[in-house]
Amino acid sequence: MRVKNRGVLVGLVLAGVGLAPNAFAVTSDEVSAQACPPGVASRVGVIHPPGASPGSKLMDLTDVQGTVYFTSNLSENNGVALWRSDGTEAGTLQLKQFPYAIHQLTNLVAVNDKLFFQFYEPNSETEQVWFSDKATRVTRFLKGFASDLTQLELRHATAVNGRLVFFRLVWRRQDEVERVELWSSDGTDVGTTRLRDFEESVSGFNLRESLTVGNALLFFRSQAKVGTTLWRTDGTSAGTTAVKSLDSGPVIIEELGRAGDVGLFVLGDFPNYEVWKTDGTEAGTSRLETFGRRVRIIGALGGYVFLASVDAVAKQVQIHRVSLDGGKKTLVSVLPQDTPALTPSVQRTAVSGTTLYLSVAQYGTSNLPTRVDLWALPERPEANRLRRLFSSLDRRDYSRFAPLFPTGDGALFFTGSSTGMNTEPWFTRGTVATTGQIADIGPGAAGSGTEDFTRSGLRIYFPARDDTGLEQLWSVPASFICPPGLSETAE
């Protein structure tokens, strides 16, 4: 594998920005060759047969105790099917075909040895909860809820203490009443119960992402007269309680993250953005630091949480770190802006092994980015430099960012392309020397279009458009070494 050395080394000795004494330097070497020979990645099975619609999709890959479940749809008129696979062709089976009126299964969640999922059934006007049992391979209906056709009413499904926990949004069209209920299920009809009726506006809840800490699901309520409060539930009525008041007014929770067993979140109290940590208790919930502009949580390493923000005037991405024990923020790096006419935006972040990763898009006048770069920030003191590993990640659709997937073995999987259009699966272990293309799956200029990775057992699964011309199920070992030995011309 060859490496392009662009010869750019940016020292971060900037006046007035308060850099740490050992501020991260920046290198922008770039990898530009295939690293893995054919056979490292392999097709598990043909899911979409010849003649299927070119728009057929393979979606929602979910691990259930070492078995991967997923859905497929042949077209909008043929419904959706639920599948499972043990990684072999013989062990890849369709479990159930749902009728044409059902276009998508949603909220797929593994709870012990069961996969729970939901969908809207228009003929009965219900939002339905189903589950598939791994041991018996039985897929069956659990419970239905009368539904307003204009709303997705079952949200935020999460595994908590061996139970499924989810919120139900209740709407009445005639008087526009709306409220939120919290439900829990053990997979039986009698064990599917309402834990709490909050009897208040849906707008007072943040139901976009789950934040599980220990044995509890944490969520947020913003009420005009009460303010914003952190709540928790352990899947029982008694265990559903308020944890701590966060603000005297209704504020927005910008995003969530994790630092081991500690949850992180950013609270938008405009014009300020506050970074908080929580262990699910009142005493263990505290504000770490405040920023004067929007910040993104990259991840946590070595007792610090790392955050990215965009300086709109300088058009630069700044990276700060804040101690998880408290203390003022420290600026550790600034991503160079080599095209001043472009504006950067942080798309995705991830932590794999001891390295932080972030994808940064550069936008001009179009909704599509001109370039999307992958950057790495290692924890090791002897390698204190921020590296640009790759250009370009997928830049076809600004609403669907390219995935960054930590494998659990130190490697990060992502989708990349020399043009940003015909994408294929790639991997990195944090340096240019250990970055390469996993496989060249898609024929011609189209590429495989890989958009999702999921680990199940010792393999990583992903959908890919291959020589069949359709999306099929592929996989690669979670841990592998691609010959010949990789080398780096500039470190």
Side-chain angles (χ1 to χ4, degrees), residues 364-428:
T365 57
S366 170
N367 283 333
L368 298 179
T370 301
R371 191 179 74 240
V372 184
D373 298 329
L374 177 65
W375 294 83
L377 184 68
E379 181 189 22
R380 302 186 311 274
E382 69 275 13
N384 263 0
R385 63 178 65 181
L386 183 65
R387 296 186 176 97
R388 177 159 51 194
L389 300 179
F390 190 85
S391 296
S392 171
L393 304 186
D394 191 348
R395 56 183 177 87
R396 293 171 298 170
D397 187 344
Y398 68 92
S399 66
R400 208 173 52 237
F401 301 148
L404 302 181
F405 179 76
T407 65
D409 285 319
L412 180 90
F413 281 20
F414 63 97
T415 56
S417 167
S418 58
T419 65
M421 305 299 283
N422 55 333
T423 54
E424 296 288 353
W426 286 67
F427 75 96
T428 183

Side-chain angles (χ1 to χ4, degrees), residues 156 206-211 217-218 220 253-256:
H156 213 18
N206 178 296
L207 302 178
R208 294 175 300 172
E209 302 176 81
S210 64
L211 178 60
L217 170 70
L218 306 185
F220 304 86
I253 305 303
E254 290 287 315
E255 64 175 273
L256 308 174

